[in-house]
Amino acid sequence: MKLIVAMTGATGSILGIRLLEALKESGVETHLVMSEWAEKTMQIETSYRPDEVKKLASYVYEPHNQASRISSGSFRVDGMVISPCSMKTLAAIRIGFADSLIPRAADVILKEQKKLVILPRELPFNRIHLENMLSLSNAGAVILPPMLTFYNKPSTLDDAINHVVARTMDQFGIENQLTKRWLSQ
């Protein structure tokens, strides 16, 4: 399996980092693109350095290199995850404003009818955010806000992060043991 993983400057850098760690452990080929603000936010929120995170990926692309292979529909890939996704990037994808590699790659994923999973980060959402998410959902994207769950009885922040990463991987059918699954009677 091959996935594009994009990280924007929205809060929640650890979600993208943990996803890259889990995908690497699962043997998934990853194609990483981080915006300039993703790198800055990561350094504010975590103890990870951008160069360390880039080493988790199979391939890394510069955020403004629209000539990279992930910007073409001829590049064979199974899908894309944007984790975390800023409202700026969400809006750019919705209107087809591919001014940098992340929205361009997302646009290609949608036009090729591949799976695009977006983890939007904002709290609360305003009407514009919600309309953008609805529009992208109608276009075929999966909107997966990183929400807290309680049925799995998380006891640490890592438990909550791992649950979101597990549910993201589930979207692509990637087996994982990152979270406790629902067990009904």
Side-chain angles (χ1 to χ4, degrees), residues 30 32 34-35 55 61-63 78 80 95 99 106 112-113 115 123-124 141 144 170:
T30 53
L32 174 65
M34 288 192 295
S35 71
K55 288 178 184 173
Y61 304 90
E62 292 301 316
D78 297 294
M80 179 176 182
I95 64 169
D99 67 331
E112 296 296 323
Q113 298 183 352
K115 185 168 271 197
L123 187 66
L144 199 154
D170 288 350

Side-chain angles (χ1 to χ4, degrees), residues 51-178:
D51 62 309
E52 293 174 308
V53 173
K54 290 175 182 178
K55 288 178 184 173
L56 296 171
S58 308
Y59 300 91
V60 178
Y61 304 90
E62 292 301 316
H64 295 290
N65 181 6
Q66 298 233 36
S68 71
R69 60 186 174 169
I70 65 171
S71 69
S72 172
S74 67
F75 178 62
R76 309 229 354 141
V77 67
D78 297 294
M80 179 176 182
V81 178
I82 305 174
S83 177
C85 184
S86 67
M87 294 300 105
K88 175 186 173 185
T89 301
L90 186 82
I93 296 165
R94 180 198 177 177
I95 64 169
F97 186 63
D99 67 331
S100 62
L101 187 54
I102 294 172
R104 171 59 188 165
D107 184 59
V108 168
I109 291 295
L110 287 172
K111 83 177 183 68
E112 296 296 323
Q113 298 183 352
K114 304 282 181 164
K115 185 168 271 197
L116 174 62
V117 177
I118 299 172
L119 281 73
R121 280 295 302 121
E122 191 61 76
L123 187 66
F125 295 126
N126 68 35
R127 184 177 181 139
I128 295 167
H129 303 150
L130 294 168
E131 287 175 355
N132 287 342
M133 285 186 267
L134 178 59
S135 180
L136 285 170
S137 178
N138 288 336
V142 174
I143 307 300
L144 199 154
M147 301 221 178
L148 294 173
T149 56
F150 299 98
Y151 65 82
N152 58 357
K153 298 182 179 156
S155 58
T156 67
L157 181 56
D158 277 345
D159 290 343
I161 292 165
N162 285 337
H163 181 80
V164 171
V165 170
R167 297 305 308 270
T168 304
M169 292 173 70
D170 288 350
Q171 288 296 310
F172 296 95
I174 303 168
E175 288 296 321
N176 67 82
Q177 303 299 318
L178 293 171

Side-chain angles (χ1 to χ4, degrees), residues 30-42:
T30 53
H31 295 260
L32 174 65
V33 57
M34 288 192 295
S35 71
E36 173 188 345
W37 282 103
E39 293 189 19
K40 290 179 180 177
T41 302
M42 173 189 312

